[in-house]
Every structure is written in structure tokens, then in C-alpha cells.
Amino acid sequence: MHDTHYNKFYVTTPIYYVTARPHLGSLYSTLLADVVARWNILQGKQVFFLTGTDEHGQKVAEAAHKANKLPQEFVDSFIHAYKEVWYNYEIAYTHFIRTTDEYHVKAVQKWIARLIVTGDIYKGYYKGWYCTPDETFVTEKDSEVDSSVAPACPSCGRLTVMVQEETYFFKLSAYQDKLLKFYEEHPDFIVPKERAHEVVNFVKAGLKDFSISRTTVTWGIPFPDDAHHVTYVWADALNNYITGIGYGQPGREHEFNSWWPADLHILGKDIVRFHAIYWPAFLMASGLALPKQLLVHGWIKVGDQKMSKSLGNVVDPEVLFKKYGPEPVRYYLVKQMAITHDGEFSIGDLEQKIESDLANDLGNLLNRMVSLAHKNDVIELPAIHEWSERSLELRDESWNMTQEFEGYMEDYLFHMALARLWKTINKTNAYFHEQEPWKLAKTDRARFIEILSATCHSLKTIAVLLWPVMPKKMEQLLHSLGLSTLLTNNTLKNLELNSWGQHFMLHKIPNLFEKPEPKEEVVVVAPAQPEQPQVPEIGIEDFIKALLIIGTVEQAEEVPGSDKLLKLQVNFGPLGMRQILSGVKKSYQPTDLIGKQGVFVTNLKPRKMMGFESHGMMLFAVHDNKQTFVTIAGVVPNGTKVQ
């Protein structure tokens, strides 16, 4: 490591597509980066924390068109929402980059021009299947279907379209062996290792040069000296990690050299290929060092499904902020979601954690201790020089936990770190309860003071270690102990020294955490059941005649002259595409169904309606004259049979 990098840490989030307000998944990635940044600040390091928005590309242009806005006006409309959510959740980023920022645009153009000179970028002609929502081409090895039939995108399952155009290619094939050698020499480059295996296997299967320009898209960074082409969105977006700290900008060379390479890129598992293959190859071609590590986290699921706008199960961080406050949500996301796996988000579980972990275990411990001290006219606690055996046990527990906590944090196992810390909180509660200081207040003043002081020392350690996760609450806790200064160059070192010789000045503060208001119990009175009409029974041989297949609606449009029908193009995977007419216009707009996976009867005789032929039927539940399409709990490959 160069001297310029001594005691510095550079962490990034992915930059987010500005087609909607930030959702809980965006917050999760950004929160992880904030926790990492604050953890390194605790160690006395200078930290640069970069986040921002990805604003170019076909997907953004199409969303802007649907919103009847110009692309720049459209992306501008979301920036305040991102910055407001990050502010509300105490995300202390250093810089917020936008890929429409002029300095970024010029730096990307310089980067392209440089690689054209070296031959790593060259002009050619491309023909292939393209996924517009993911803005990526489907390679031959990704697609196992007849090349004459549009394959589904391996990432999102949506139907691809054939694209033919002149393009600039990046010479990715030249970096296959170099990438494999790098992975071998840096086995910890990708965390967790399961993601690393996927990347290595993909590269070993062979890399082809890939297109990094578009002529069919106008919303993007123009290619230098060839304005007919715009830069492919990933070649634009990935470079934010270097342009955000000064790359390609006169006068910022020293700044760039002092921060690069990044210590940590944080990203979701769905974009690992771009970050672990394309991005390192770009950097190798540019003669730049590679980032030290990629931290690849799983998805947040709601009801066993990945949270996504297309599934309609997105959780709005603003709603959670208004109801619970930022720090309980921060704690829950870090504690509940293991980096190595997908994690399920549940309001009930969130409220249970707030009540049990935060309000009862931690907040109540502080409140009981300070209230007892004030009740007995103890405000100032002098340093203790001789501790009883039970207090020394608590001190050793605090010291051991600190070491283990640091180990988990360095490995980015945040949920394990918090689980270990909560054992110490529970042991501190047990210590305080077992010593019964309320009985000693009048009979053994010295022992009473010692118990208060030991509890304060343990709470101080807890607050310092929890600060990256709940900064403002932990600063309030420390203030209650009379400790106004948290961050020094030796904050963690002082904890490691385990010198329980602190002087405390106790202050009463409002409850750190409020228990969520109990849900109102709704008494449901079942109405009298009307007499049920007799339904004719059928045998299993009748039921199995209906072929029920899972498919995804790729296109939907109104049928001219019909107030009921929508015309759907449905992707049934290996069974191909089918046109199906569905009488749901009063319940659904065409855009409501696009991308939705549903259950279809596929062996009905073709039926002609309003001049169009329908080859199947989409199943809906009907209640109060409202139709709701029938789907399944998870996402399965198109063409799957329902049994």
C-alpha cells in the first residue's frame, strides 16, 4: 500500500436507477456502506463514502417518455427524494454523484478516447438478443433455446428483442486469463465466496468482446468524436467509482491518487457480474489498480419474494421512517439481514425487535440505572480503582465481546457482531439485576457506586460499538453518561485497553426507544352464512384435463372498441409466446399487468373475440366486482406446470 493510502478508507454503494423513489433495497445497500464508513471512522481513519444515481440509458428514457417528461427533467425530479431519504436515515455520505454531472460525462469521454487509442475499444457490428429492462445483451451460453426464438433474459425472465446495429466493442476477451489469475491471487476479492465461485465459473466458460455503445438510444453520454453513438449505460455507470474522486479531471489528480483503489464496493447479487468481470477488465485496460473487495449482499424479500417494483411489494422507507424513526429501522436491517443470504422483511418482526431488543434490553437498562442513581442523589460517579470479582467478570465479558465484535465487523458479518453484542447487553442486565443495587443504596454506598459505575462502563462500550448502526441514539446514550466526546483517533483502542477507570456524570434523558403502539384489535363478526347452492362435483380425470401453466405478461394493450378486453402477449418459456385476450379492462390498466407472472389455462380451443384470436385464459379471483390475477408465492420459470 502506498503512503498516500495510509489510514484511509474508500467505500461505495451501487448508483441507483432514477426511475422511481428509493425503496428499502436501495436503503439497505446505502445503510451497509454508512455502517462500514462509520466503523472505519471509529478506527481513526479518513473516510470517503460515495453514493449517487445512474441516470442514463434506454430504460430511463422510456420511463421519462411514459411520464411525458424530457429525460433530464425526469431524472431531476427524483434527486430530492433520494437525498431526503438518505438524510432522514442519517446516511453520512461524502459525495453524491449523478452520471449527468458534467465532470463525469467529460471524464467518461476521456476514458473512452484513451481506450480507443490503445485498441481496447474498437468499432464493429452487433446482432443479438437484448433485454431492455436490464440493459444487457443475452449471450449464447445464457440462452439454451433456438436462436430463432426470442429467449428470456436470464436475470429478470422478461422477453428479449433482436437488436442489430453498428457498435463499439470493449475487448473483454483479452482479459479472460488476467481476470482468472487475479481471482486466484485475491481469493477474498468477492465476499461471500459463493458469489466468487459463480463469477470464476462464468469467466472460465469464455468471455466475448461486448458492445459498449448504442445508436438506437439518444439518452446517454455521446461517444468522443462519434456523436452517432452513446455510451452503454454500464460503461458509463461503473466509471462513477473513479470519476467521483477526481479521475480525468484537471487539478484533482492528487485527490484521485490518494483515494483509489476503493477499499470496498457494496452491491446486490443481481449486479455482481458487471462489478466482478466488466469493471476489473475496464480498470486493467486503463492501467488502474483494482478495488480491494466487493461485498455482495442478498435481496430483501417480502413474503418469500424478492422485493421489486414489478411485483408491487416494495416497502417505502419514508413510511417506516415516519412510524418508527430512522435508527430502529437501521438496527433491524443490519441485525435481521445476513450478508450471505436473502433476508425477509416483516413489520411484525421489526416491531418485536424494537420492543424487545431496543426498548426493553438496552433503553430500559439505561433508564433504570440513571433513575436509580438520581433517586439516591448520585449524579457524579468517580473512577473506581478496585473492582469486586463480579464486576471484573463483567469487565472481561465487555473486553472479550469487543474483540469478537471487531472480528465480525472486519469480515462484514454485521448480524453476527450485533448478536454477540446483545449477549453483553443481556449479561449487563443480569449483573445489574443480580446485584440488587436498590437495596445497597442505603446500606453499602461504595458497593452501590461500584455497580452503577460497572454498568456505565459496559454501556459505554456498547454505545461506542453500536454507534455505526445507530449514531444519534448512541450519542444520546453517551450524553446520559456524561461523555460528550465520542470520536477520537483512539476510540476503539481505548476500548481494547480495557481500562475501566472512567469518570461519569449521569443525566436523565427521554427514553431512548419507544415501544411501537399496540395494534388496535379489530373484532370481526362473521355474517350469517346464506344457504349454499349445490355445486356439481367433478372427478380428478376432469380436473387434469385443464393444463395450467405459469407465464409472464410481456405486452398488454387495449382492444379497440371493447370496454372489457385487454390483448396480452404471454411468455410461456419453452412453450413460446401466446396471444391471450382477457376481460379485465375495468380492473387493470395494460401497464399494470406487464411483467406480472400469472396462471393460465393453455389448452382451451382458440377463440376469436373482437377480430383477435385468443389462445388461452388468464385466471383471476373476483371479489366485490374487482378482479385480482392469480399468481404463486414465488417466481418460477415461465412454462412451469401448476399441479
Side-chain angles (χ1 to χ4, degrees):
M1 186 183 291
H2 301 297
D3 290 340
T4 53
H5 299 133
Y6 176 73
N7 219 31
K8 291 186 178 181
F9 196 90
Y10 176 31
V11 60
T12 71
T13 72
I15 52 175
Y16 306 107
Y17 263 133
V18 283
T19 53
R21 290 172 56 85
H23 58 67
L24 200 63
S26 320
L27 174 62
Y28 180 56
S29 295
T30 315
L31 171 58
L32 292 180
D34 189 66
V35 170
V36 170
R38 291 177 184 275
W39 176 250
N40 280 275
I41 288 171
L42 273 186
Q43 298 174 66
K45 296 181 182 179
Q46 295 182 56
V47 171
F48 197 104
F49 169 13
L50 182 70
T51 190
T53 44
D54 185 1
E55 303 181 13
H56 289 130
Q58 186 175 353
K59 185 158 55 173
V60 173
E62 290 180 356
H65 178 71
K66 288 180 181 177
N68 199 29
K69 291 183 178 181
L70 294 172
Q72 187 67 56
E73 176 192 12
F74 178 73
V75 296
D76 286 347
S77 69
F78 289 108
I79 302 306
H80 174 73
Y82 273 88
K83 291 187 174 181
E84 181 179 43
V85 171
W86 295 171
Y87 175 81
N88 286 342
Y89 278 93
E90 300 162 18
I91 305 294
Y93 57 82
T94 311
H95 181 59
F96 188 102
I97 188 171
R98 300 179 60 184
T99 55
T100 53
D101 288 336
E102 186 179 2
Y103 71 85
H104 172 79
V105 171
K106 290 182 176 178
V108 169
Q109 290 174 326
K110 285 184 181 179
W111 174 78
I112 291 170
R114 183 175 300 173
L115 295 195
I116 289 175
V117 170
T118 63
D120 285 290
I121 293 177
Y122 62 92
K123 186 183 279 191
Y125 186 81
Y126 185 86
K127 178 180 179 181
W129 298 108
Y130 183 68
C131 175
T132 300
D134 276 356
E135 306 211 13
T136 187
F137 285 99
V138 176
T139 65
E140 292 175 8
K141 62 187 176 188
D142 284 331
S143 173
E144 299 178 358
V145 298
D146 183 346
S147 61
S148 65
V149 179
C153 172
S155 297
C156 70
R158 293 180 177 90
L159 200 65
T160 56
V161 293
M162 176 57 69
V163 173
Q164 301 182 57
E165 61 178 313
E166 178 188 80
T167 187
Y168 284 87
F169 287 92
F170 174 77
K171 198 180 290 184
L172 184 64
S173 59
Y175 292 93
Q176 179 172 329
D177 293 340
K178 294 177 183 177
L179 285 168
L180 290 173
K181 184 171 185 284
F182 175 79
Y183 302 145
E184 185 178 352
E185 293 175 350
H186 300 83
D188 296 327
F189 175 59
I190 303 172
V191 177
K193 292 190 183 299
E194 294 86 348
R195 305 287 169 235
H197 297 323
E198 296 168 8
V199 168
V200 170
N201 290 337
F202 183 87
V203 176
K204 282 182 176 178
L207 295 178
K208 291 188 174 183
D209 297 351
F210 74 99
S211 168
I212 65 160
S213 77
R214 301 288 181 268
T215 57
T216 54
V217 181
T218 57
W219 179 241
I221 296 178
F223 245 63
D225 302 320
D226 195 346
H228 184 55
H229 289 257
V230 300
T231 308
Y232 170 49
V233 66
W234 279 102
D236 165 3
L238 288 166
N239 274 292
N240 93 90
Y241 300 130
I242 54 178
T243 64
I245 52 172
Y247 176 82
Q249 297 154 60
R252 297 187 67 189
E253 295 84 0
H254 176 74
E255 181 183 351
F256 172 73
N257 291 330
S258 68
W259 288 113
W260 191 258
D263 293 274
L264 189 68
H265 288 324
I266 293 176
L267 55 135
K269 65 181 182 180
D270 50 332
I271 54 174
V272 66
R273 186 184 300 179
F274 299 99
H275 285 77
I277 300 173
Y278 297 175
W279 180 227
F282 287 168
L283 292 167
M284 288 176 176
S286 309
L288 296 175
L290 271 59
K292 296 177 185 176
Q293 206 163 42
L294 308 182
L295 179 60
V296 185
H297 63 76
W299 291 327
I300 296 179
K301 292 188 172 183
V302 178
D304 293 328
Q305 288 184 308
K306 176 193 173 185
M307 189 173 60
S308 69
K309 293 188 288 292
S310 62
L311 289 174
N313 62 352
V314 169
V315 178
D316 187 349
E318 278 297 283
V319 173
L320 298 180
F321 168 76
K322 289 173 182 175
K323 185 168 184 181
Y324 305 107
E327 304 213 340
V329 179
R330 285 175 63 111
Y331 168 75
Y332 177 73
L333 290 176
V334 177
K335 175 75 180 295
Q336 174 71 3
M337 312 293 168
I339 288 292
T340 49
H341 299 89
D342 296 340
E344 184 173 352
F345 177 86
S346 159
I347 288 290
D349 194 39
L350 166 64
E351 293 186 345
Q352 191 272 329
K353 291 288 193 300
I354 294 173
E355 180 168 344
S356 62
D357 294 11
L358 300 181
N360 290 345
D361 293 348
L362 182 54
N364 192 43
L365 173 61
L366 175 70
N367 184 57
R368 287 170 64 203
M369 186 271 297
V370 175
S371 295
L372 181 63
H374 277 241
K375 182 180 178 181
N376 290 279
D377 299 321
V378 175
I379 295 179
E380 186 172 359
L381 294 175
I384 305 292
H385 301 293
E386 291 188 17
W387 297 96
S388 65
E389 182 178 351
R390 190 66 182 87
S391 297
L392 290 174
E393 289 175 4
L394 184 62
R395 186 186 70 174
D396 290 344
E397 160 64 21
S398 180
W399 181 69
N400 291 334
M401 179 273 291
T402 299
Q403 287 189 313
E404 293 176 38
F405 186 94
E406 289 184 29
Y408 287 130
M409 292 295 286
E410 292 304 315
D411 291 336
Y412 305 118
L413 297 172
F414 308 118
H415 67 297
M416 298 289 288
L418 292 179
R420 177 63 187 90
L421 183 140
W422 239 258
K423 288 183 180 178
T424 297
I425 292 176
N426 291 333
K427 288 186 177 182
T428 307
N429 269 301
Y431 165 86
F432 189 79
H433 183 73
E434 290 167 5
Q435 301 305 303
E436 298 182 322
W438 49 90
K439 292 183 179 179
L440 298 172
K442 306 300 182 186
T443 61
D444 191 341
R445 195 74 168 174
R447 179 83 178 115
F448 177 67
I449 297 294
E450 179 194 342
I451 295 166
L452 296 178
S453 182
T455 305
C456 286
H457 278 96
S458 185
L459 281 169
K460 173 196 170 184
T461 299
I462 290 162
V464 170
L465 296 178
L466 268 180
W467 179 79
V469 179
M470 296 185 285
K472 289 188 177 178
K473 292 293 185 184
M474 294 308 101
E475 287 167 12
Q476 292 170 17
L477 194 161
L478 289 166
H479 170 72
S480 183
L481 303 180
L483 305 175
S484 57
T485 303
L486 168 65
L487 301 176
T488 69
N489 288 335
N490 301 309
T491 303
L492 279 184
K493 288 294 180 187
N494 287 338
L495 291 183
E496 293 166 2
L497 290 173
N498 196 30
S499 54
W500 271 26
Q502 184 78 51
H503 168 274
F504 297 99
M505 187 74 70
L506 302 180
H507 304 283
K508 279 188 174 182
I509 62 171
N511 290 339
L512 272 181
F513 303 100
E514 296 294 342
K515 296 179 182 180
E517 293 182 9
K519 298 183 179 70
E520 294 182 10
E521 292 188 11
V522 180
V523 179
V524 179
V525 180
Q529 295 296 318
E531 185 177 343
Q532 297 297 319
Q534 292 296 313
V535 178
E537 294 181 340
I538 63 172
I540 187 67
E541 67 278 1
D542 295 313
F543 173 75
I544 62 176
K545 290 179 183 178
L547 189 58
L548 304 179
I549 301 294
I550 300 299
T552 298
V553 179
E554 301 292 350
Q555 298 176 35
E557 57 184 293
E558 296 182 358
V559 174
S562 174
D563 59 356
K564 292 182 179 180
L565 293 176
L566 295 181
K567 185 174 66 172
L568 314 177
Q569 302 299 326
V570 184
N571 179 5
F572 290 104
L575 302 178
M577 296 288 294
R578 288 199 183 189
Q579 177 172 285
I580 292 176
L581 272 68
S582 187
V584 293
K585 186 175 177 181
K586 292 184 178 179
S587 298
Y588 289 93
Q589 295 294 316
T591 53
D592 295 335
L593 292 176
I594 294 175
K596 293 292 193 297
Q597 199 170 56
V599 181
F600 297 81
V601 182
T602 58
N603 60 339
L604 291 174
K605 291 180 181 179
R607 181 184 175 193
K608 206 160 190 178
M609 294 180 279
M610 300 295 291
F612 297 96
E613 204 166 67
S614 179
H615 296 267
M617 180 173 68
M618 190 175 188
L619 299 187
F620 290 82
V622 181
H623 178 67
D624 288 340
N625 295 320
K626 168 70 177 175
Q627 294 162 299
T628 303
F629 73 93
V630 176
T631 186
I632 53 176
V635 177
V636 300
N638 291 323
T640 300
K641 184 178 179 181
V642 178
Q643 297 178 334

